Amino acid sequence: MRMVYNTRACAVLYNVLKSNNIAGTVLIPSNICESVPATYMLLGINPIFCDVSIDDYQLDKSCAIRLIKDKKINILHYNHTYGYDSEEDIAFLERIKYSFPDVFIIDDKCLCFPEFLLNDTVADISLYSTGPVKCVDIGWGGYGIIKDNLIYEENNLVFNSNDLIEFDKHVKKCHCNDSPVNKKILLSNWLEISSNYQGNYWDDVKARSRESLNHKLHINEIYRDIPGSLPIEYCNWRYQLLLENANECIKAIFEAGLFCSNHYKSLGNGYFSDVNTPNNFFLEKHIVNLFNDFRFSYEQAKMVAELLKIIAIPVNR
């Protein structure tokens, strides 16, 4: 195993797949950033999406196995919802590699805290992000832990910063208007590939990791008594609430001069693809993400907690 980094995790992903001529069809969970399937599309790889499980909010494993059998999947892109990383995830990926040894496995840990141990894993690539709004945010970059047998070359890809700005604006507009994405924009020159980082990337990530963990632990302790809180293992990236009145709570937080976000939009249901994803749609309507990074102070967290303790109504499951 070895570690490589670039401008973002998608750039590492692109380099690995391109350098090793990985092609075909990729299976992706529906609860993931639009840049992931767009990266595959830039490589001519066809994305197929799968719903999440309502039990643990991770990729629906039985659905995934069925699709791998029926759709002749070449690549499995497995992510960790809210940064939740469990023994069940490891067991599932081992099952996939044992049952389908030719499937190329990407273990996407971009919402998890960075790890630096080169432990053996069945995943061909484990991806981490250190860019904006991730667990550890140094404002730049992502890295991959990749198998020793993989070629890794930095590919020459045309990049246009205006295309990246337009990509991000388009996604936000689609979310607001509930409209489908424009595939032409997804295939533009939005992906920058460069390992030119000013400083020691690994030292900066490790230092920021310690600071971020301490900050999150303190803020999570402030949030912990809010009704509807998910188990703490789901609250590394942000602090998650599952609420009947999610929209009401989000509105109240903004009206108080604070901020939060809702669950990321499903890439099914006619938005990115036509696959039906009822479980992901449920999470869209009921999850509230509270910030626990350096964009949020302890005092802001206390204000949000006191507000939500009064009005938050947990989902009755």
Side-chain angles (χ1 to χ4, degrees):
M1 307 294 290
R2 66 191 192 278
M3 301 171 73
V4 294
Y5 69 86
N6 216 275
T7 51
R8 57 192 295 171
C10 282
V12 173
L13 177 64
Y14 184 97
N15 283 337
V16 172
L17 297 175
K18 183 74 172 178
S19 299
N20 294 277
N21 298 312
I22 307 298
T25 300
V26 59
L27 178 61
I28 309 177
S30 60
N31 62 338
I32 204 165
C33 174
E34 287 84 351
S35 61
V36 173
T39 299
Y40 285 105
M41 291 167 61
L42 288 174
L43 288 158
I45 296 172
N46 178 45
I48 290 179
F49 299 95
C50 182
D51 200 4
V52 298
S53 166
I54 204 62
D55 295 323
D56 63 1
Y57 318 127
Q58 306 279 56
L59 174 73
D60 186 324
K61 296 174 177 60
S62 60
C63 175
I65 290 171
R66 184 174 67 252
L67 287 171
I68 291 172
K69 288 179 179 177
D70 295 346
K71 300 294 184 179
K72 297 182 180 179
I73 300 296
N74 307 98
I75 308 163
L76 171 64
H77 191 112
Y78 187 87
N79 72 348
H80 296 260
T81 304
Y82 313 133
Y84 175 58
D85 191 9
S86 72
E87 293 296 324
E88 288 78 10
D89 298 324
I90 297 172
F92 173 69
L93 295 183
E94 289 176 345
R95 179 183 176 187
I96 293 299
K97 183 57 76 173
Y98 177 80
S99 303
F100 310 99
D102 293 333
V103 170
F104 194 85
I105 297 177
I106 290 93
D107 191 8
D108 184 335
K109 295 189 172 186
C110 287
L111 294 188
C112 302
F113 262 90
E115 297 174 340
F116 304 100
L117 296 176
L118 300 181
N119 295 325
D120 194 26
T121 170
V122 297
D124 295 281
I125 320 171
S126 296
L127 288 177
Y128 296 85
S129 178
T130 55
V133 306
K134 296 304 192 295
C135 274
V136 174
D137 176 0
I138 66 168
W140 186 93
Y143 69 94
I145 300 175
I146 69 174
K147 294 284 190 184
D148 286 328
N149 65 321
L150 292 174
I151 299 168
Y152 186 82
E153 296 173 346
E154 192 166 289
N155 288 267
N156 293 320
L157 196 63
V158 175
F159 170 67
N160 186 321
S161 59
N162 289 327
D163 284 355
L164 177 58
I165 292 170
E166 184 59 30
F167 184 109
D168 292 338
K169 284 171 56 179
H170 176 64
V171 166
K172 291 175 182 176
K173 184 177 179 181
C174 289
H175 288 195
C176 289
N177 299 336
D178 200 24
S179 56
V181 293
N182 182 338
K183 299 295 174 66
K184 182 178 179 181
I185 292 175
L186 303 183
L187 291 169
S188 65
N189 300 317
W190 61 270
L191 181 59
E192 181 182 13
I193 293 180
S194 172
S195 56
N196 185 22
Y197 177 72
Q198 301 301 312
N200 187 304
Y201 176 74
W202 303 114
D203 287 349
D204 289 350
V205 172
K206 290 175 183 177
R208 195 61 165 173
S209 292
R210 293 188 290 270
E211 297 169 355
S212 298
L213 180 59
N214 289 334
H215 189 78
K216 286 177 182 290
L217 288 174
H218 194 146
I219 288 191
N220 284 359
E221 184 64 20
I222 295 170
Y223 288 151
R224 70 182 179 88
D225 292 327
I226 299 174
S229 294
L230 289 190
I232 199 65
E233 55 264 30
Y234 289 93
C235 299
N236 290 319
W237 170 57
R238 292 181 188 163
Y239 193 91
Q240 311 298 335
L241 306 173
L242 187 66
L243 303 176
E244 288 287 359
N245 60 336
N247 287 338
E248 176 190 343
C249 291
I250 291 171
K251 181 180 178 183
I253 289 169
F254 277 94
E255 287 178 348
L258 300 160
F259 57 93
C260 64
S261 66
N262 51 11
H263 180 80
Y264 25 77
K265 189 174 180 63
S266 170
L267 300 189
N269 308 321
Y271 168 50
F272 206 107
S273 72
D274 292 330
V275 64
N276 186 31
T277 61
N279 295 334
N280 205 352
F281 184 73
F282 172 84
L283 294 178
E284 280 184 49
K285 300 302 178 185
H286 295 285
I287 283 286
V288 177
N289 302 141
L290 300 182
F291 282 77
N292 56 9
D293 60 15
F294 290 108
R295 291 166 181 78
F296 230 59
S297 69
Y298 299 150
E299 288 305 314
Q300 287 174 306
K302 290 175 184 176
M303 292 171 64
V304 166
E306 292 307 312
L307 172 64
L308 293 179
K309 285 176 186 177
I310 298 171
I311 65 171
I313 303 172
V315 167
N316 184 16
R317 292 180 60 194

Short mmCIF file of all heavy atoms in Angstrom, two decimals, residues 96-153:
data_model
loop_
_atom_site.label_atom_id
_atom_site.label_comp_id
_atom_site.label_asym_id
_atom_site.label_seq_id
_atom_site.Cartn_x
_atom_site.Cartn_y
_atom_site.Cartn_z
N ILE A 96 -17.69 -8.73 -1.06
CA ILE A 96 -17.71 -8.37 -2.49
C ILE A 96 -16.45 -8.88 -3.18
O ILE A 96 -16.52 -9.47 -4.27
CB ILE A 96 -17.83 -6.84 -2.65
CG1 ILE A 96 -19.21 -6.34 -2.16
CG2 ILE A 96 -17.63 -6.43 -4.12
CD1 ILE A 96 -20.39 -6.91 -2.90
N LYS A 97 -15.30 -8.66 -2.57
CA LYS A 97 -14.05 -9.09 -3.21
C LYS A 97 -13.98 -10.61 -3.33
O LYS A 97 -13.47 -11.14 -4.33
CB LYS A 97 -12.84 -8.56 -2.42
CG LYS A 97 -11.50 -8.86 -3.03
CD LYS A 97 -11.37 -8.32 -4.47
CE LYS A 97 -11.15 -6.83 -4.52
NZ LYS A 97 -10.88 -6.35 -5.90
N TYR A 98 -14.50 -11.32 -2.33
CA TYR A 98 -14.51 -12.79 -2.38
C TYR A 98 -15.47 -13.30 -3.45
O TYR A 98 -15.14 -14.22 -4.21
CB TYR A 98 -14.89 -13.35 -1.01
CG TYR A 98 -14.98 -14.86 -0.98
CD1 TYR A 98 -13.83 -15.65 -0.86
CD2 TYR A 98 -16.22 -15.50 -1.07
CE1 TYR A 98 -13.91 -17.03 -0.85
CE2 TYR A 98 -16.31 -16.89 -1.06
CZ TYR A 98 -15.17 -17.65 -0.94
OH TYR A 98 -15.25 -19.01 -0.93
N SER A 99 -16.67 -12.70 -3.52
CA SER A 99 -17.70 -13.17 -4.46
C SER A 99 -17.48 -12.67 -5.87
O SER A 99 -17.83 -13.35 -6.84
CB SER A 99 -19.09 -12.73 -3.97
OG SER A 99 -19.35 -13.20 -2.67
N PHE A 100 -16.89 -11.46 -5.99
CA PHE A 100 -16.70 -10.84 -7.31
C PHE A 100 -15.26 -10.31 -7.38
O PHE A 100 -15.02 -9.10 -7.31
CB PHE A 100 -17.70 -9.70 -7.52
CG PHE A 100 -19.12 -10.07 -7.24
CD1 PHE A 100 -19.70 -9.75 -6.01
CD2 PHE A 100 -19.89 -10.74 -8.18
CE1 PHE A 100 -21.02 -10.09 -5.73
CE2 PHE A 100 -21.21 -11.09 -7.91
CZ PHE A 100 -21.77 -10.77 -6.68
N PRO A 101 -14.28 -11.20 -7.49
CA PRO A 101 -12.86 -10.79 -7.40
C PRO A 101 -12.44 -9.80 -8.47
O PRO A 101 -11.43 -9.10 -8.28
CB PRO A 101 -12.11 -12.12 -7.53
CG PRO A 101 -13.08 -13.08 -8.14
CD PRO A 101 -14.44 -12.66 -7.69
N ASP A 102 -13.16 -9.72 -9.58
CA ASP A 102 -12.76 -8.80 -10.65
C ASP A 102 -13.31 -7.39 -10.46
O ASP A 102 -12.96 -6.48 -11.23
CB ASP A 102 -13.24 -9.34 -12.00
CG ASP A 102 -12.51 -10.62 -12.40
OD1 ASP A 102 -11.36 -10.80 -11.96
OD2 ASP A 102 -13.11 -11.44 -13.12
N VAL A 103 -14.17 -7.19 -9.45
CA VAL A 103 -14.73 -5.86 -9.21
C VAL A 103 -13.67 -4.99 -8.53
O VAL A 103 -13.09 -5.37 -7.51
CB VAL A 103 -16.00 -5.93 -8.34
CG1 VAL A 103 -16.43 -4.54 -7.89
CG2 VAL A 103 -17.12 -6.60 -9.12
N PHE A 104 -13.42 -3.84 -9.11
CA PHE A 104 -12.46 -2.86 -8.57
C PHE A 104 -13.18 -2.07 -7.48
O PHE A 104 -14.22 -1.48 -7.72
CB PHE A 104 -11.99 -1.94 -9.70
CG PHE A 104 -10.79 -1.12 -9.38
CD1 PHE A 104 -9.51 -1.63 -9.56
CD2 PHE A 104 -10.92 0.18 -8.92
CE1 PHE A 104 -8.39 -0.86 -9.28
CE2 PHE A 104 -9.82 0.96 -8.65
CZ PHE A 104 -8.54 0.45 -8.82
N ILE A 105 -12.60 -2.03 -6.27
CA ILE A 105 -13.30 -1.44 -5.12
C ILE A 105 -12.66 -0.13 -4.69
O ILE A 105 -11.45 -0.06 -4.42
CB ILE A 105 -13.31 -2.41 -3.92
CG1 ILE A 105 -14.08 -3.69 -4.28
CG2 ILE A 105 -13.91 -1.74 -2.69
CD1 ILE A 105 -14.08 -4.73 -3.17
N ILE A 106 -13.49 0.92 -4.63
CA ILE A 106 -13.08 2.20 -4.07
C ILE A 106 -13.79 2.37 -2.74
O ILE A 106 -15.03 2.36 -2.67
CB ILE A 106 -13.43 3.39 -4.99
CG1 ILE A 106 -12.56 3.38 -6.24
CG2 ILE A 106 -13.23 4.72 -4.25
CD1 ILE A 106 -13.16 2.67 -7.41
N ASP A 107 -13.04 2.50 -1.66
CA ASP A 107 -13.58 2.74 -0.33
C ASP A 107 -13.48 4.24 -0.07
O ASP A 107 -12.43 4.76 0.29
CB ASP A 107 -12.79 1.95 0.72
CG ASP A 107 -13.47 1.94 2.08
OD1 ASP A 107 -14.61 2.40 2.18
OD2 ASP A 107 -12.84 1.44 3.03
N ASP A 108 -14.60 4.94 -0.26
CA ASP A 108 -14.63 6.40 -0.19
C ASP A 108 -14.86 6.84 1.26
O ASP A 108 -15.97 6.77 1.79
CB ASP A 108 -15.76 6.91 -1.10
CG ASP A 108 -15.82 8.43 -1.19
OD1 ASP A 108 -15.35 9.10 -0.25
OD2 ASP A 108 -16.37 8.95 -2.18
N LYS A 109 -13.79 7.34 1.89
CA LYS A 109 -13.85 7.80 3.28
C LYS A 109 -13.69 9.31 3.37
O LYS A 109 -13.16 9.84 4.34
CB LYS A 109 -12.76 7.10 4.10
CG LYS A 109 -12.96 5.60 4.22
CD LYS A 109 -11.99 4.99 5.22
CE LYS A 109 -12.34 3.53 5.48
NZ LYS A 109 -11.49 2.96 6.55
N CYS A 110 -14.21 10.00 2.37
CA CYS A 110 -14.03 11.45 2.30
C CYS A 110 -14.76 12.21 3.41
O CYS A 110 -14.44 13.37 3.69
CB CYS A 110 -14.45 11.98 0.93
SG CYS A 110 -13.28 11.54 -0.38
N LEU A 111 -15.75 11.59 4.04
CA LEU A 111 -16.41 12.22 5.18
C LEU A 111 -15.91 11.66 6.51
O LEU A 111 -16.44 11.99 7.57
CB LEU A 111 -17.93 12.05 5.09
CG LEU A 111 -18.64 12.75 3.93
CD1 LEU A 111 -20.14 12.66 4.08
CD2 LEU A 111 -18.20 14.22 3.82
N CYS A 112 -14.89 10.81 6.47
CA CYS A 112 -14.28 10.25 7.68
C CYS A 112 -13.05 11.07 8.07
O CYS A 112 -12.50 11.82 7.25
CB CYS A 112 -13.86 8.80 7.46
SG CYS A 112 -15.19 7.68 6.97
N PHE A 113 -12.60 10.90 9.31
CA PHE A 113 -11.33 11.49 9.70
C PHE A 113 -10.19 10.79 8.96
O PHE A 113 -10.24 9.58 8.75
CB PHE A 113 -11.13 11.35 11.21
CG PHE A 113 -11.51 12.59 11.96
CD1 PHE A 113 -12.80 12.76 12.42
CD2 PHE A 113 -10.57 13.59 12.20
CE1 PHE A 113 -13.16 13.91 13.11
CE2 PHE A 113 -10.92 14.75 12.88
CZ PHE A 113 -12.22 14.91 13.34
N PRO A 114 -9.18 11.54 8.54
CA PRO A 114 -8.04 10.94 7.85
C PRO A 114 -7.35 9.87 8.68
O PRO A 114 -7.27 9.96 9.91
CB PRO A 114 -7.10 12.14 7.63
CG PRO A 114 -7.99 13.32 7.63
CD PRO A 114 -9.07 13.00 8.62
N GLU A 115 -6.86 8.85 8.00
CA GLU A 115 -6.06 7.80 8.60
C GLU A 115 -4.76 7.69 7.82
O GLU A 115 -4.72 7.98 6.62
CB GLU A 115 -6.81 6.47 8.55
CG GLU A 115 -8.11 6.47 9.35
CD GLU A 115 -8.91 5.19 9.15
OE1 GLU A 115 -8.67 4.50 8.14
OE2 GLU A 115 -9.76 4.89 9.99
N PHE A 116 -3.71 7.27 8.49
CA PHE A 116 -2.40 7.26 7.85
C PHE A 116 -1.71 5.90 7.92
O PHE A 116 -0.62 5.73 7.39
CB PHE A 116 -1.51 8.32 8.49
CG PHE A 116 -2.12 9.70 8.44
CD1 PHE A 116 -2.76 10.23 9.55
CD2 PHE A 116 -2.08 10.45 7.28
CE1 PHE A 116 -3.35 11.48 9.51
CE2 PHE A 116 -2.65 11.71 7.22
CZ PHE A 116 -3.29 12.22 8.35
N LEU A 117 -2.34 4.93 8.58
CA LEU A 117 -1.76 3.60 8.66
C LEU A 117 -2.02 2.84 7.37
O LEU A 117 -3.15 2.84 6.86
CB LEU A 117 -2.34 2.82 9.84
CG LEU A 117 -2.05 3.40 11.23
CD1 LEU A 117 -2.77 2.59 12.30
CD2 LEU A 117 -0.55 3.44 11.50
N LEU A 118 -1.00 2.19 6.85
CA LEU A 118 -1.14 1.46 5.59
C LEU A 118 -1.58 0.03 5.87
O LEU A 118 -0.91 -0.94 5.54
CB LEU A 118 0.18 1.50 4.82
CG LEU A 118 0.70 2.89 4.46
CD1 LEU A 118 2.01 2.79 3.68
CD2 LEU A 118 -0.34 3.67 3.65
N ASN A 119 -2.75 -0.08 6.48
CA ASN A 119 -3.28 -1.41 6.80
C ASN A 119 -3.74 -2.11 5.53
O ASN A 119 -4.25 -1.47 4.60
CB ASN A 119 -4.46 -1.29 7.77
CG ASN A 119 -4.02 -0.75 9.12
OD1 ASN A 119 -2.92 -1.04 9.58
ND2 ASN A 119 -4.87 0.03 9.77
N ASP A 120 -3.58 -3.41 5.49
CA ASP A 120 -4.03 -4.17 4.33
C ASP A 120 -5.56 -4.15 4.27
O ASP A 120 -6.23 -4.23 5.29
CB ASP A 120 -3.54 -5.61 4.41
CG ASP A 120 -3.69 -6.33 3.08
OD1 ASP A 120 -3.70 -5.65 2.04
OD2 ASP A 120 -3.82 -7.57 3.10
N THR A 121 -6.10 -4.01 3.10
CA THR A 121 -7.54 -3.93 2.89
C THR A 121 -7.88 -4.51 1.53
O THR A 121 -7.02 -4.54 0.64
CB THR A 121 -8.03 -2.47 2.97
OG1 THR A 121 -9.40 -2.39 2.55
CG2 THR A 121 -7.20 -1.56 2.07
N VAL A 122 -9.12 -4.96 1.37
CA VAL A 122 -9.52 -5.49 0.06
C VAL A 122 -9.77 -4.36 -0.93
O VAL A 122 -9.82 -4.60 -2.14
CB VAL A 122 -10.77 -6.38 0.17
CG1 VAL A 122 -10.48 -7.60 1.03
CG2 VAL A 122 -11.97 -5.60 0.71
N ALA A 123 -9.94 -3.14 -0.43
CA ALA A 123 -10.19 -2.01 -1.33
C ALA A 123 -8.95 -1.73 -2.16
O ALA A 123 -7.82 -1.74 -1.66
CB ALA A 123 -10.59 -0.78 -0.53
N ASP A 124 -9.16 -1.46 -3.43
CA ASP A 124 -8.04 -1.09 -4.29
C ASP A 124 -7.58 0.34 -4.00
O ASP A 124 -6.39 0.65 -4.11
CB ASP A 124 -8.45 -1.23 -5.76
CG ASP A 124 -8.74 -2.67 -6.12
OD1 ASP A 124 -7.78 -3.43 -6.34
OD2 ASP A 124 -9.93 -3.07 -6.13
N ILE A 125 -8.54 1.20 -3.65
CA ILE A 125 -8.24 2.57 -3.25
C ILE A 125 -9.09 2.92 -2.03
O ILE A 125 -10.29 2.64 -2.01
CB ILE A 125 -8.58 3.61 -4.33
CG1 ILE A 125 -8.23 3.14 -5.74
CG2 ILE A 125 -7.94 4.96 -4.03
CD1 ILE A 125 -8.78 4.06 -6.81
N SER A 126 -8.49 3.57 -1.04
CA SER A 126 -9.24 4.22 0.03
C SER A 126 -9.03 5.71 -0.13
O SER A 126 -7.87 6.18 -0.17
CB SER A 126 -8.76 3.76 1.41
OG SER A 126 -9.01 2.38 1.60
N LEU A 127 -10.12 6.47 -0.27
CA LEU A 127 -10.04 7.90 -0.55
C LEU A 127 -10.36 8.73 0.68
O LEU A 127 -11.30 8.41 1.43
CB LEU A 127 -11.02 8.27 -1.66
CG LEU A 127 -10.71 7.84 -3.09
CD1 LEU A 127 -11.86 8.25 -4.00
CD2 LEU A 127 -9.40 8.47 -3.58
N TYR A 128 -9.62 9.83 0.86
CA TYR A 128 -9.87 10.78 1.93
C TYR A 128 -9.83 12.19 1.36
O TYR A 128 -9.09 12.46 0.40
CB TYR A 128 -8.81 10.66 3.04
CG TYR A 128 -8.81 9.34 3.75
CD1 TYR A 128 -8.10 8.25 3.23
CD2 TYR A 128 -9.52 9.16 4.93
CE1 TYR A 128 -8.09 7.02 3.89
CE2 TYR A 128 -9.51 7.93 5.58
CZ TYR A 128 -8.81 6.87 5.06
OH TYR A 128 -8.81 5.66 5.70
N SER A 129 -10.60 13.09 1.96
CA SER A 129 -10.62 14.48 1.50
C SER A 129 -10.19 15.41 2.62
O SER A 129 -10.56 15.23 3.78
CB SER A 129 -12.02 14.88 1.03
OG SER A 129 -12.03 16.24 0.63
N THR A 130 -9.40 16.41 2.27
CA THR A 130 -8.97 17.43 3.23
C THR A 130 -9.33 18.82 2.73
O THR A 130 -8.71 19.81 3.10
CB THR A 130 -7.45 17.32 3.47
OG1 THR A 130 -6.77 17.40 2.21
CG2 THR A 130 -7.10 16.01 4.14
N GLY A 131 -10.35 18.88 1.87
CA GLY A 131 -10.79 20.13 1.30
C GLY A 131 -11.85 20.81 2.15
O GLY A 131 -12.14 20.38 3.26
N PRO A 132 -12.45 21.87 1.62
CA PRO A 132 -13.46 22.63 2.36
C PRO A 132 -14.61 21.77 2.87
O PRO A 132 -15.08 20.88 2.17
CB PRO A 132 -13.93 23.66 1.33
CG PRO A 132 -12.76 23.84 0.42
CD PRO A 132 -12.12 22.49 0.32
N VAL A 133 -15.03 22.03 4.11
CA VAL A 133 -16.16 21.44 4.84
C VAL A 133 -16.01 19.94 5.09
O VAL A 133 -16.99 19.27 5.41
CB VAL A 133 -17.53 21.74 4.18
CG1 VAL A 133 -17.73 23.22 3.99
CG2 VAL A 133 -17.74 21.01 2.86
N LYS A 134 -14.82 19.40 4.97
CA LYS A 134 -14.61 18.00 5.33
C LYS A 134 -14.19 17.93 6.81
O LYS A 134 -13.97 18.95 7.45
CB LYS A 134 -13.55 17.37 4.43
CG LYS A 134 -13.97 17.31 2.97
CD LYS A 134 -15.28 16.58 2.79
CE LYS A 134 -15.59 16.25 1.33
NZ LYS A 134 -15.80 17.41 0.49
N CYS A 135 -14.05 16.71 7.35
CA CYS A 135 -13.70 16.54 8.77
C CYS A 135 -12.44 17.32 9.13
O CYS A 135 -12.37 17.98 10.16
CB CYS A 135 -13.50 15.06 9.09
SG CYS A 135 -15.00 14.19 9.51
N VAL A 136 -11.44 17.17 8.29
CA VAL A 136 -10.20 17.92 8.46
C VAL A 136 -10.02 18.79 7.22
O VAL A 136 -9.84 18.28 6.12
CB VAL A 136 -8.99 16.97 8.64
CG1 VAL A 136 -7.69 17.76 8.68
CG2 VAL A 136 -9.17 16.16 9.92
N ASP A 137 -10.11 20.09 7.42
CA ASP A 137 -10.15 21.03 6.31
C ASP A 137 -8.90 21.89 6.32
O ASP A 137 -8.74 22.77 7.17
CB ASP A 137 -11.41 21.89 6.45
CG ASP A 137 -11.53 22.98 5.40
OD1 ASP A 137 -10.64 23.09 4.54
OD2 ASP A 137 -12.52 23.74 5.46
N ILE A 138 -7.97 21.63 5.39
CA ILE A 138 -6.81 22.50 5.23
C ILE A 138 -7.00 23.40 4.00
O ILE A 138 -6.08 24.09 3.58
CB ILE A 138 -5.49 21.72 5.13
CG1 ILE A 138 -5.43 20.87 3.86
CG2 ILE A 138 -5.26 20.86 6.37
CD1 ILE A 138 -4.04 20.31 3.55
N GLY A 139 -8.22 23.36 3.45
CA GLY A 139 -8.55 24.22 2.32
C GLY A 139 -8.13 23.69 0.97
O GLY A 139 -8.31 24.35 -0.05
N TRP A 140 -7.58 22.51 0.95
CA TRP A 140 -7.02 21.96 -0.31
C TRP A 140 -6.85 20.46 -0.17
O TRP A 140 -6.51 19.94 0.88
CB TRP A 140 -5.66 22.60 -0.59
CG TRP A 140 -5.02 22.24 -1.91
CD1 TRP A 140 -5.12 22.95 -3.07
CD2 TRP A 140 -4.16 21.12 -2.20
NE1 TRP A 140 -4.38 22.34 -4.06
CE2 TRP A 140 -3.77 21.21 -3.55
CE3 TRP A 140 -3.69 20.05 -1.44
CZ2 TRP A 140 -2.95 20.28 -4.16
CZ3 TRP A 140 -2.86 19.11 -2.05
CH2 TRP A 140 -2.49 19.24 -3.40
N GLY A 141 -7.09 19.76 -1.26
CA GLY A 141 -6.57 18.42 -1.41
C GLY A 141 -7.40 17.24 -0.96
O GLY A 141 -8.43 17.36 -0.31
N GLY A 142 -6.89 16.11 -1.36
CA GLY A 142 -7.40 14.82 -0.96
C GLY A 142 -6.32 13.79 -1.24
O GLY A 142 -5.35 14.08 -1.96
N TYR A 143 -6.45 12.63 -0.63
CA TYR A 143 -5.41 11.63 -0.85
C TYR A 143 -6.01 10.24 -0.94
O TYR A 143 -7.17 10.00 -0.57
CB TYR A 143 -4.33 11.69 0.23
CG TYR A 143 -4.73 11.25 1.61
CD1 TYR A 143 -4.52 9.95 2.05
CD2 TYR A 143 -5.28 12.16 2.51
CE1 TYR A 143 -4.86 9.55 3.33
CE2 TYR A 143 -5.61 11.78 3.80
CZ TYR A 143 -5.41 10.48 4.21
OH TYR A 143 -5.75 10.08 5.49
N GLY A 144 -5.20 9.33 -1.45
CA GLY A 144 -5.63 7.95 -1.57
C GLY A 144 -4.58 7.01 -1.04
O GLY A 144 -3.38 7.27 -1.14
N ILE A 145 -5.04 5.94 -0.41
CA ILE A 145 -4.16 4.82 -0.05
C ILE A 145 -4.45 3.74 -1.08
O ILE A 145 -5.57 3.24 -1.18
CB ILE A 145 -4.45 4.32 1.37
CG1 ILE A 145 -4.22 5.45 2.39
CG2 ILE A 145 -3.58 3.12 1.71
CD1 ILE A 145 -4.58 5.09 3.81
N ILE A 146 -3.46 3.41 -1.89
CA ILE A 146 -3.69 2.55 -3.04
C ILE A 146 -2.81 1.30 -2.99
O ILE A 146 -1.75 1.30 -2.35
CB ILE A 146 -3.46 3.31 -4.37
CG1 ILE A 146 -1.99 3.64 -4.57
CG2 ILE A 146 -4.29 4.59 -4.40
CD1 ILE A 146 -1.67 4.27 -5.93
N LYS A 147 -3.25 0.27 -3.67
CA LYS A 147 -2.51 -0.99 -3.73
C LYS A 147 -1.17 -0.79 -4.44
O LYS A 147 -1.06 0.00 -5.40
CB LYS A 147 -3.32 -2.05 -4.47
CG LYS A 147 -4.61 -2.48 -3.76
CD LYS A 147 -4.33 -3.41 -2.60
CE LYS A 147 -5.59 -4.03 -2.06
NZ LYS A 147 -5.35 -4.87 -0.88
N ASP A 148 -0.17 -1.54 -4.00
CA ASP A 148 1.17 -1.41 -4.58
C ASP A 148 1.21 -1.79 -6.06
O ASP A 148 2.07 -1.31 -6.80
CB ASP A 148 2.17 -2.28 -3.81
CG ASP A 148 2.52 -1.71 -2.45
OD1 ASP A 148 2.54 -0.47 -2.34
OD2 ASP A 148 2.76 -2.48 -1.52
N ASN A 149 0.30 -2.66 -6.49
CA ASN A 149 0.34 -3.11 -7.88
C ASN A 149 -0.28 -2.11 -8.86
O ASN A 149 -0.22 -2.31 -10.06
CB ASN A 149 -0.36 -4.47 -8.02
CG ASN A 149 -1.85 -4.38 -7.73
OD1 ASN A 149 -2.27 -3.67 -6.82
ND2 ASN A 149 -2.66 -5.09 -8.49
N LEU A 150 -0.86 -1.04 -8.34
CA LEU A 150 -1.51 -0.05 -9.20
C LEU A 150 -0.50 0.97 -9.71
O LEU A 150 0.36 1.45 -8.96
CB LEU A 150 -2.63 0.66 -8.45
CG LEU A 150 -3.85 -0.19 -8.10
CD1 LEU A 150 -4.82 0.59 -7.22
CD2 LEU A 150 -4.56 -0.67 -9.37
N ILE A 151 -0.64 1.32 -10.98
CA ILE A 151 0.14 2.41 -11.56
C ILE A 151 -0.48 3.73 -11.10
O ILE A 151 -1.71 3.86 -11.02
CB ILE A 151 0.12 2.34 -13.09
CG1 ILE A 151 0.73 1.01 -13.56
CG2 ILE A 151 0.87 3.51 -13.71
CD1 ILE A 151 0.48 0.72 -15.04
N TYR A 152 0.35 4.71 -10.77
CA TYR A 152 -0.19 6.03 -10.43
C TYR A 152 0.60 7.09 -11.19
O TYR A 152 1.78 7.32 -10.92
CB TYR A 152 -0.13 6.31 -8.94
CG TYR A 152 -0.82 7.63 -8.60
CD1 TYR A 152 -2.21 7.67 -8.45
CD2 TYR A 152 -0.10 8.81 -8.49
CE1 TYR A 152 -2.85 8.87 -8.19
CE2 TYR A 152 -0.75 10.01 -8.22
CZ TYR A 152 -2.11 10.04 -8.06
OH TYR A 152 -2.76 11.22 -7.81
N GLU A 153 -0.06 7.71 -12.16
CA GLU A 153 0.53 8.79 -12.93
C GLU A 153 -0.39 10.00 -12.88
O GLU A 153 -1.62 9.86 -12.91
CB GLU A 153 0.74 8.36 -14.39
CG GLU A 153 1.73 7.21 -14.55
CD GLU A 153 1.79 6.70 -15.99
OE1 GLU A 153 0.88 7.07 -16.78
OE2 GLU A 153 2.72 5.96 -16.31
#
